[in-house]
Amino acid sequence: MKTTLQSVGERYYGVDVAEDGALVVAARPNEATAVRYPSGAAGVAALSERIARESAHPHICIRSCGAVALALATAMIALPGPK
């Protein structure tokens, strides 16, 4: 029997920054294709709102590195709880 480590309310997100600055997001386990959000504050706000709405316990992996990844991580540290 296969078991999962994922608890109720948990959802996993992989985030990368594309060459054009867009945020590229894949949610696991049920999203087969990536979703793009615009670069800048508007994209970060839209992504943060989506994650807060969808998951009580999000897990976010940021693939990019450097200043862009640090700014993104800092912006997403205090995600509000589910609405």
Side-chain angles (χ1 to χ4, degrees):
M1 180 163 103
K2 188 174 182 180
T3 60
T4 180
L5 296 176
Q6 188 170 347
S7 299
V8 174
E10 286 186 328
R11 192 146 184 209
Y12 292 80
Y13 299 87
V15 181
D16 198 0
V17 179
E19 288 183 18
D20 64 359
L23 300 174
V24 181
V25 181
R28 299 283 185 241
N30 56 358
E31 191 169 293
T33 58
V35 176
R36 291 175 62 96
Y37 290 88
S39 61
V44 172
L47 174 59
S48 296
E49 182 179 307
R50 172 191 171 179
I51 291 172
R53 182 180 63 245
E54 290 180 350
S55 178
H57 304 287
H59 298 267
I60 303 167
C61 176
I62 300 173
R63 183 174 179 191
S64 302
C65 59
V68 172
L70 182 59
L72 179 59
T74 301
M76 300 186 82
I77 284 174
L79 285 173
K83 296 176 180 173

